[in-house]
């Protein structure tokens, strides 16, 4: 009995996080230990001053120094474990945060006066606890936090601050998701409870997007069978779908935010600790001292975005266009020696330079955003996302744009200029003879091939680089490590840790080495994917089918990534998918333009080639088409799109949703409570005692003349102001009624007299 | 002394409204007096039940029945005067309204618990008092009002419910405005205090628009001198201006709403009493009984807007195009007899049919909106405004559109079809000979003439019909009336009224006969005017100058209209100019298209004609231009417009404004108050006593080994869960610091050893 319990205990213990809220990974510098020690002492003091319990353990052992004795092998870092020391602290933090929410209009009602009551009414999720603990660690000291800012200033030895994965939950989560076809709301809610709303919003978006993909996948498959490519019907349906999806998501987003109680949470801005201020000034309104950075300066820096975008276009565009030109030259014009090797040249060039350039530009974007010096995280993030969207837009779509709108229509005009390459090639050949070429034809299938490449092959490659490679790398690395440590000494690690904790500490050391999870990357991937669907799927209607399969895997692999390949994310809140929403809207709109143009340029060709039985298609010269008709088609498509968007928006807005219902219910409850309180105070709308409707019994028979006489008498005797006298003529409602009735009767009788006359 | 006081009194008395809040104009039907009497009694009872003091006086006397004795001449209507009977009632109503505002987020903070305190802190404006009184009169009984709904159901004898003009204020207002060049914020605030935010928003818009017009007026004048018409520079500047104006106004609107404390007031919806519900249902959320009208049915009705718009286009468009064709035929082709008379035919046709059709269509729009059966006033109004915007768009702009985009470019193609008229004319001539015609040339100045007509002549005509005609009509009518009553008996009216009230009652009887003020009409006028500027001013750059003059007068004449030609408006609140904002945005956007097209079509002509010295311009055949270039120009202009709009919006959003400052200040004050209250309760963020940083004195020298030994001992003896043990290793922050320091020192020393090795 005792034995079995201890086995269970041991099992549980292996899973347990020992109530740790956060682990602070503290690196020990090879030199300057005095500073590191002092800083460490400050760290612990600061943490315990705001109410954290702390424990320190050695981090991973040095590998480079494998002495004979394991016990003298020192750690290269420390792991500081912190937890909120008392429930009272947690409760007060929760109350504080909820009051702030209420003040910013995130919660409809103030939290209960007694925080303890409130906590019991509204469950405290892991995400909330962890978020508050993180805020307490990182908030500046004058706002009641410990002010720990990893990797900066005083805290430059703090490598990272991360919560620990809940292994049991993760295992169950991944297991469950890999078994089920559809995710349901419960799945998303569970993610929200663990990883916070920001991550949950990503999965909710993925879920919504996946469900919406079912339609274009089915319709696309049918269109592929029946209509073929470049069908205007498919283009219209696809655009309509993208509008509906976009508008639906905008509503769904609000709905989820309300359901999760985070609507308007983006109003609560987290100040960036990196913000550099020029001067401190007294806010004229609040009298607080605020840090000021000249908006003119920021605007000037923001204008750098224009040359940045130009640089992106030139660098990436030049690379892509250059490789494109080389590729065409080699595959379609060139016919000289080494052709089979030279075919790979553009691919090699792209593979080498594209990631390099992208990384370079991304780093430039980071720098630029840093320079823009935003005060809040959200503004910083939004600006950064804009920049990487530009980069990704070019790398992802420019190739297809070139094929569709330059190569096919203008190929015949442009290819002669590729002689440049021929001349270059001539230089390198010894004899200086012209390089042999073959007569050239535009390859109309290139567009389709390219779209298929981007929508199928690239997605698979992406999945591999995102999930399989890091996993394999880690496994390999671990094996190497293990072999190494086996070589040096079998029990090197374990002698230092007490046996109860050994397993746990090993796990924590592993997690400390993982990357931080960045939801931006996942959003980017999905948005770019949506772009292919919206912009180019008319070329290959099966696009959505491919994405449907891909996204089923994507949801699981992203879950895997969070659970196994990354540190547990800080559970931030969010009330939308943020700046990506704008990118989605932009792509959906652009889709109306490109779809119209593609259908217009290629439709007649493909249908002609279809009827003539050729699979290849046209002869590559669709340029009998008049430019004005193309422009008219685009103009028309765009405005139809905009009108449809307005209509769909109007319709979607009229729909009810659980979130809106919840909001109504909350507002109603609050209103009722408040009005009840008002009623208690006796200031409700009970009529004040005006000149009442007198009872019938004490009614005194009055005549109009008598009353007027009285008023006249009062006025003559000088009593009362005229205003008073005016209101004294008829002393009660009954008198007014009597006078009125008399007047009506008079009118009627005189009418009758008149008509009798 | 006493004499002079009584003169002052009499003077004041002539101005005084006798504290009357509202006058209810109660008509007496010629027949069915019993019903009218009963209804009258109910009216008075209902009013006095909710706390109004009432007085009744006869209305205007019958004119058609001029008997010999004036005293038997009966009134055709009654005037019921009501005022809030007590200050306590007003205070409680104010408190109630302010609490509601707070609940809906209009006020940042709850009103003071004791309403009396609150009333004294925040002045109660006339507008607020009148609005609350009106609400009390019209609110349904189950919501604590008297439930009086003029002209409907039980209250069909109630002609109108209106407040009385404040003559002294009006005189001062008109006098002051006619003397000053610019209106300032104080002027708008005073209107707000008297006539409520809805009217004040109109004048604020007018003020803003007037100030903004200064720039295009100056620039337009310069462009007229230097650049001539159809200048692309003028077009670009004009579009940019309209974007800036639109975005500025959107911000200004919010700013004003905040300053006036009405931001978000549109969320408080006034239910329409005309709303017909299909069934009553229990709201699943609130448990309240709500009235339900099937949204599907409403949607079906809303779809009728499409045929309605089509009908407008066909009817008005047909009329305008027809008259246009006739006009061209007669003035430019026809050369037969009666030409001098026939020239007026299209004008006559337009003058007869245009107002008729417009009135008909407006009535249709009213009916349609009624059918759509909205639950709230705002939704109803917005839907109605959409429809009349369509009507006005067609009547105002279609003529110019036809000239610019049909007559000039396609005239040569289309004019031959005007032979239809020739054949018709031939029928009417006796001899059947073909009607003499002259050879035809497109008149390129027609467009300019037309724009000048719409921007100058039409504005003056409009001013006349709006202000001068009603004024003259009323004066004339009064004179006739006076002559009539002089004929019948000199003192007919006055014997019935007591002398103190006679003058006042006459005034009220006059006001009872005035029209209700409808701010929609004024907005419509301004929006349509803005449309001319945005769409067509490139044809005649002086447009803005004309509008500048016109709007100076317009502001004064609208003030006059309110003060003298209309009943005092019910002081409704509003937080924006409502549905007109969308119309402004639409016109501004459309302006980018038309300006680009106009410049493209006419620019080369006008510049050529300019250089060749002809004033008339081109030969009317600008159709060498390629259509694709035109389309490209439009497409380009539109997208530049959209991008510029985004940029301007971004910039405007970064500006600070008094309203936003006020909002910040209010929010800050509230937050501070609440946090103070929290601090009192002792739940602020003071750190809960965690494992403290022990003082140095009682510090016990510990070694890591000793601690770990203790933990191991505890674990062996079976005490405590592993979680507890984990956190017991280091009992205080000091111990953590010591252990950490030891580990760091160990690492460093081993590093040094290592490097020494």
């Amino acid at each position: 009995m005792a034995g079995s319990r201890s086995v269970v205990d041991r099992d549980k213990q292996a899973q347990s996080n020992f109530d740790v809220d956060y682990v602070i990974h503290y690196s020990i510098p090879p030199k300057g230990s005095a500073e590191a020690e002092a800083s460490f002492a400050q760290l612990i003091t600061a943490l315990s001053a705001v109410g954290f319990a702390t424990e320190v353990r050695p981090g991973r052992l040095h590998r480079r120094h494998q002495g004979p004795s394991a016990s003298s092998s020192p750690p290269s870092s420390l792991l500081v474990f912190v937890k909120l020391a008392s429930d009272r602290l947690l409760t007060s933090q929760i109350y504080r945060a909820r009051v702030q929410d209420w003040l910013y209009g995130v919660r409809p009602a103030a939290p209960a006066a007694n925080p303890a009551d409130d906590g019991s009414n509204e469950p405290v999720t892991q995400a909330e606890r962890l978020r508050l603990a993180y805020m307490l660690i990182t908030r500046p000291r004058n706002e009641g936090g410990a002010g720990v800012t990893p990797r900066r200033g005083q805290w430059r030895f703090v490598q990272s601050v991360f919560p620990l994965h809940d292994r049991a939950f993760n295992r169950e989560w991944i297991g469950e998701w890999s078994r089920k076809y559809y995710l349901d709301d419960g799945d998303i809610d569970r993610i929200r409870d663990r990883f916070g709303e920001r991550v949950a919003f990503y999965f909710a978006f993925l879920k919504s997007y996946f469900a919406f993909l079912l339609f274009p996948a089915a319709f696309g498959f049918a269109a592929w069978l029946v209509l073929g490519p470049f069908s205007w019907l498919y283009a219209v349906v696809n655009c309509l779908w993208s509008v509906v999806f976009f508008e639906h998501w905008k509503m769904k987003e609000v709905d989820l935010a309300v359901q999760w109680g985070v609507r308007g949470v983006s109003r609560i801005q987290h100040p960036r600790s990196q913000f550099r201020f020029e001067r401190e000034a007294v806010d004229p309104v609040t009298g607080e001292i605020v840090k000021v950075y000249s908006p003119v300066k920021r605007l000037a820096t923001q204008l750098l975005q224009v040359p940045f975008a130009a640089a992106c276009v030139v660098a990436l565009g030049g690379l892509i266009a250059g490789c494109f030109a080389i590729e065409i030259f080699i595959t379609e014009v060139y016919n000289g020696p080494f052709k089979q090797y030279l075919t790979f040249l553009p691919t090699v060039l792209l593979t080498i330079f594209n990631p390099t350039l992208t990384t370079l530009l991304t780093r430039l974007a980071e720098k630029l955003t840093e320079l823009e010096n935003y005060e809040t995280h959200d503004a910083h993030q939004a600006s950064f996302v804009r920049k990487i969207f530009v980069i990704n837009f070019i790398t992802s779509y420019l190739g297809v744009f070139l094929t569709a709108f330059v190569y096919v229509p203008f190929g015949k005009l442009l290819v002669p200029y590729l002689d440049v390459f021929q001349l270059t090639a001539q230089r390198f050949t010894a004899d200086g003879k012209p390089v042999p070429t073959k007569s050239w034809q535009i390859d109309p299938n290139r567009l389709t091939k390219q779209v298929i490449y981007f929508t199928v092959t690239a997605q698979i490659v992406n999945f591999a680089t995102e999930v399989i490679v890091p996993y394999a790398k880690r496994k390999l690395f671990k094996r190497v490590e293990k072999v190494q440590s086996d070589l040096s000494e079998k029990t090197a690690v374990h002698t230092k840790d007490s046996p109860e904790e050994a397993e746990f500490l090993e796990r924590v050391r592993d997690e400390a080495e993982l990357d931080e999870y960045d939801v931006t990357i996942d959003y980017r991937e999905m948005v770019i994917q949506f772009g292919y669907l919206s912009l180019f799927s008319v070329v290959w209607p099966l696009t959505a089918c491919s994405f449907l399969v891909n996204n089923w895997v994507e949801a699981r692999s992203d879950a895997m990534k969070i659970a196994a390949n990354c540190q547990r994310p800080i559970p931030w809140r969010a009330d939308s998918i943020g700046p990506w929403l704008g990118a989605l809207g932009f792509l959906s709109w652009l889709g109306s333009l490109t779809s119209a143009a593609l259908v217009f340029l290629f439709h007649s060709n493909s249908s002609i080639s279809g009827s003539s039985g050729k699979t290849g298609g046209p002869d590559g010269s669709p340029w009998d088409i008049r430019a004005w008709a193309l422009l008219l088609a685009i103009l028309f498509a765009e405005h139809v799109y905009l009108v449809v968007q307005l209509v769909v928006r109007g319709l979607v807005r009229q729909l009810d949703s659980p979130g809106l219902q919840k909001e109504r219910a909350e507002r109603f409850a609050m209103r009722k409570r408040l009005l009840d309180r008002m009623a208690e105070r006796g200031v409700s709308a009970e009529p004040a005692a005006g000149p009442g409707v007198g009872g019938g019994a004490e009614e005194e028979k009055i005549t109009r003349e008598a009353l007027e006489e009285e008023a006249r008498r009062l006025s003559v005797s000088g009593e009362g102001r005229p205003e008073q006298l005016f209101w004294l003529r008829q002393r009660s409602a009954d008198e007014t009624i009597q006078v009125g009735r008399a007047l009506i009767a008079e009118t009627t009788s005189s009418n009758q007299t008149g008509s009798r006359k």
Side-chain angles (χ1 to χ4, degrees), chain A residues 175 340 379-380 406 452 462 477 570 644 654 672 681 738:
Chain A
Q340 67 270 44
H380 180 86
V406 178
I452 294 177
N462 188 37
F477 190 67
I570 313 286
V644 166
Q654 292 192 353
K672 202 170 168 193
R681 283 195 197 133
Q738 280 187 32

Side-chain angles (χ1 to χ4, degrees), chain A residues 25 36 78 165 177 182 232 252 276 296 386 508 591 598 610 620 688 697:
Chain A
H25 191 207
L78 300 181
H165 273 299
W177 278 32
Y182 295 108
W232 65 265
K252 179 80 185 167
R276 289 161 286 112
V296 177
R386 263 201 306 277
V508 174
L598 286 171

Side-chain angles (χ1 to χ4, degrees), chain A residues 285-302:
Chain A
V285 173
T286 58
E288 278 178 326
I289 286 172
V290 287
K291 294 165 176 177
V292 180
Y293 182 74
S294 156
V296 177
K297 260 196 187 170
R298 181 172 300 136
L299 190 66
T301 326
Q302 281 172 333

Side-chain angles (χ1 to χ4, degrees), chain A residues 273-290:
Chain A
S273 52
Q274 294 97 315
F275 173 64
R276 289 161 286 112
F277 56 96
E278 283 184 319
R279 58 194 171 81
E280 288 188 320
V282 176
D283 190 318
V285 173
T286 58
E288 278 178 326
I289 286 172
V290 287

